[in-house]
Amino acid sequence: MLFHEAVARAMTDHGITTVFGLMGDANLYLTDAFVRLHGGVFISTSNEAGAVLAAHGYAQATGRLGVATVTHGPALTNTVTALVEAARERTPLLLLAGDTAAADRDNFQNIAQRDVVIPTGAGFEQVRTPDTIGEDLATAVRRAVTELRPIVLNIPVDFQWQEIDYRPQAGPRWVAPAPLAPTGDALDEAAGIIASAKRPVILAGRGAQEPEAKEALIRLAQRVGAPLATTFRARDLFRGEPHDLGICGTLSHEIALETILAADCIVAFGASLNKWTTAQGSMLEGRAVVQVDSERAALGRFQAVEAAVHGDAGVVADALVTMLDEAEVKPTGFASPGLAERLTKRSDADFVDQSTEHSVDHRSAILRLEAAFPAEKTLVFDGGRFIMQCLHMFHVRHPKDYVHTINFGSIGLGMGHAIGAAQGSGKPTLLVTGDGGFMLGGLAEFNTAVRHGLDLVVVVFNDGAYGAEHIQMRRKQMDPVRTTFDWPEFAAVADSLGGKGYTARNLAELDVALEELPRRNRPVLIDVKLDPDRVAVPDFY
């Protein structure tokens, strides 16, 4: 078959059904063959960065390999920020990148593509010859899945129309990890620390969010009488449990903070214990810490711990319950009825609304959005100062329903992620972005969502400024005029791009827009006007 047909066949052989991308001369034909010959779904984006971000959002929302394709030269350089984001998230992602023919060294788009990719943290795999495409693509997929990062498969443009003898791979080149049981004395040390604790807290991280691990941690918490908490990336894992403290760290609410600071033992499962989870280590000071992780390199990476257990979260939690039962250790009672009652009474609405006739308090907007949007949703945030309230006031059914976009500290990445997440999850998807982020990375891709009929609602918290810079200028008593912008009316822009736009200058107008949401039949944008001097942020921001 022709080489470009073989690439499409190899993709299909690996179970790839959806590809995000932007076509050019070096990937045009393989993309066409993927759709025409194999019934693949191709989501065409407006920018190459959007393609990789969409593949990243798809991977986060589905747990499957995200796949994108771009042509060569400037197309690949446009993906650099997106590759960094995906690499830092540790997401399996395959990027099929065309490359200039080796003989065409004076081509305008020629660049050393490997040298572009490697600094991002992504891996690079070269298609060696047309006849090795089956093996080379299998290697790239295996690396993406096992190394947990993007792999760029570099495909020279001059291979496209060569005839080859395609040989499919006999089977997968990787094995899914099995639950890891702990060995050695570490488990005994952990059980001893927990048995002697009077006020333990169970902390779940991203590595403990699978259903089996969740249930095992709940059993352990009930066995020792411990409240439950999560890292931000495991947010809402225990939502609905009577002793759920929510997020541990810089985003903790007052009851959670008080309870964790009163604890004498923290038992962390699948949590890296980084500076945000531990508030620069202050939340662990004076407390015995047990850390459990299936990844050996995570143990003790950020914090010294009293016991480090290398094992699967669920397996270790159940083993600890058995050991505590055998030793007849009594529950502590730290997870008391009184604590449960206080948590039940606590509300995110405990603040003084600062909305006016011409601006909305974004905290009030969050509460209304949370009430109006289905609980079964996919949630995406762009970067910006508004995000600090979003991080703990919006909720999801499961941590995997939240798509993270701020590993690189960049604004403008939310829309691409939301497109991939909406396509992959099949759930209503809510993107919350700022005005600067929308203009930077969301404007063109909003039309991508329209063209592909995605169920996407975009809320723009619009303070007419670059918020982080605005607040810094204000705090130094400087004129923030250069941080402010006279943007177009986003509702009209959304309409012109084929969606439906609403403007909310006050809470009454926001309520009107939210009442219309159940009748939406296209992507929606709600432009929520904020006062740049009334955006509530934590003191450390």
Side-chain angles (χ1 to χ4, degrees):
M1 65 180 69
L2 295 172
F3 175 84
H4 67 263
E5 296 173 340
V7 177
R9 169 69 184 277
M11 292 162 64
T12 304
D13 286 347
H14 282 279
I16 296 168
T17 60
T18 303
V19 174
F20 303 86
L22 198 153
M23 291 190 296
D25 61 332
N27 69 337
L28 169 65
Y29 304 110
L30 69 88
T31 302
D32 173 73
F34 175 68
V35 176
R36 178 170 49 83
L37 300 179
H38 301 285
V41 175
F42 178 65
I43 305 296
S44 58
T45 60
S46 300
N47 184 279
E48 291 86 0
V52 175
L53 293 172
H56 188 211
Y58 177 92
Q60 287 194 60
T62 64
R64 299 195 293 271
L65 179 72
V67 182
T69 181
V70 301
T71 190
H72 52 157
L76 181 68
T77 60
N78 279 347
T79 71
V80 166
T81 296
L83 287 173
V84 174
E85 178 68 27
R88 293 189 177 184
E89 179 68 13
R90 303 190 66 204
T91 299
L93 192 152
L94 176 66
L95 174 57
L96 303 168
D99 195 7
T100 308
D104 191 10
R105 66 181 181 183
D106 294 325
N107 188 295
F108 285 149
Q109 296 183 324
N110 190 23
I111 194 171
Q113 299 203 158
R114 183 182 186 279
D115 293 347
V116 171
V117 170
I118 295 303
T120 69
F124 186 86
E125 195 67 36
Q126 179 70 40
V127 175
R128 295 164 293 166
T129 70
D131 288 319
T132 62
I133 180 58
E135 182 177 353
D136 294 338
L137 190 138
T139 298
V141 170
R142 176 186 59 78
R143 290 186 61 193
V145 172
T146 58
E147 297 175 19
L148 298 177
R149 61 172 176 157
I151 301 296
V152 176
L153 182 64
N154 205 56
I155 307 173
V157 64
D158 50 329
F159 290 180
Q160 297 295 310
W161 288 90
Q162 295 189 34
E163 290 191 4
I164 69 166
D165 181 17
Y166 174 70
R167 293 181 296 277
Q169 292 295 299
R173 296 275 297 274
W174 68 91
V175 177
L180 177 64
T183 59
D185 298 329
L187 190 62
D188 289 333
E189 294 174 4
I193 291 170
I194 296 169
S196 62
K198 303 299 182 186
R199 298 177 301 280
V201 170
I202 305 298
L203 173 64
R206 186 179 175 189
Q209 61 179 328
E210 295 302 326
E212 299 81 3
K214 171 188 173 180
E215 295 306 318
L217 266 60
I218 291 174
R219 287 192 291 270
L220 176 61
Q222 292 172 343
R223 178 63 186 79
V224 300
L228 292 154
T230 72
T231 65
F232 170 67
R233 296 308 305 279
R235 55 176 302 155
D236 294 320
L237 180 65
F238 301 121
R239 187 167 170 79
E241 292 296 315
H243 295 99
D244 174 25
L245 299 176
I247 298 171
C248 172
T250 52
L251 293 172
S252 291
H253 56 70
E254 64 284 353
I255 300 175
L257 186 62
E258 174 189 320
T259 304
I260 294 167
L261 292 179
D264 61 0
C265 176
I266 306 292
V267 189
F269 292 85
S272 67
L273 302 178
N274 61 37
K275 63 182 181 180
W276 295 283
T277 299
T278 66
Q280 303 286 355
S282 64
M283 299 185 79
L284 301 185
E285 290 178 3
R287 294 161 190 86
V289 180
V290 175
Q291 186 181 15
V292 179
D293 208 294
S294 59
E295 186 177 341
R296 190 182 297 276
L299 296 170
R301 179 185 176 192
F302 293 109
Q303 302 289 336
V305 299
E306 278 66 34
V309 183
H310 183 213
D312 177 79
V315 172
V316 173
D318 281 338
L320 288 169
V321 169
T322 299
M323 296 174 74
L324 294 170
D325 284 345
E326 291 173 351
E328 299 182 352
V329 175
K330 294 181 179 180
T332 64
F334 190 44
S336 66
L339 175 60
E341 183 178 1
R342 292 181 66 201
L343 289 168
T344 299
K345 291 180 178 179
R346 188 199 161 273
S347 171
D348 285 335
D350 187 17
F351 61 87
V352 177
D353 176 70
Q354 297 187 42
S355 300
T356 70
E357 285 300 309
H358 305 289
S359 67
V360 175
D361 186 323
H362 74 300
R363 296 170 297 180
S364 298
I366 291 170
L367 293 177
R368 281 168 160 77
L369 286 160
E370 180 73 2
F373 218 74
E376 193 69 33
K377 62 179 177 289
T378 300
L379 185 62
V380 187
F381 302 141
D382 205 308
R385 64 169 168 169
F386 65 88
I387 197 174
M388 301 309 297
Q389 300 296 332
C390 295
L391 293 177
H392 65 85
M393 291 181 69
F394 278 110
H395 298 285
V396 289
R397 282 280 178 85
H398 188 275
K400 289 185 178 179
D401 293 329
Y402 165 71
V403 174
H404 197 59
T405 75
I406 51 175
N407 292 284
F408 199 19
S410 174
I411 68 170
L413 308 188
M415 183 66 80
H417 280 95
I419 287 169
Q423 174 67 29
S425 71
K427 300 176 183 177
T429 299
L430 175 62
L431 167 65
V432 184
T433 182
D435 46 297
F438 180 73
M439 288 296 288
L440 178 63
L443 185 63
E445 299 300 357
F446 184 83
N447 180 253
T448 299
V450 171
R451 285 187 288 106
H452 293 284
L454 300 179
D455 188 1
L456 176 63
V457 174
V458 179
V459 174
V460 181
F461 280 147
N462 183 359
D463 61 4
Y466 282 156
E469 291 70 25
H470 185 277
I471 195 171
Q472 289 182 54
M473 298 286 276
R474 283 292 196 208
R475 286 176 176 172
K476 291 180 173 60
Q477 277 119 34
M478 298 172 67
D479 186 347
V481 64
R482 275 170 289 283
T483 69
T484 61
F485 296 87
D486 185 14
W487 303 120
E489 286 297 324
F490 292 139
V493 170
D495 289 342
S496 69
L497 291 172
K500 176 60 179 175
Y502 299 91
T503 301
R505 301 172 189 84
N506 50 56
L507 289 175
E509 290 184 349
L510 176 60
D511 288 339
V512 169
L514 295 179
E515 287 174 3
E516 292 292 320
L517 280 186
R519 293 182 285 277
R520 67 188 182 277
N521 60 2
R522 68 191 79 174
V524 168
L525 182 146
I526 305 175
D527 182 10
V528 182
K529 304 291 189 179
L530 309 184
D531 183 333
D533 290 313
R534 290 174 178 260
V535 179
V537 293
D539 292 337
F540 63 79
Y541 193 80

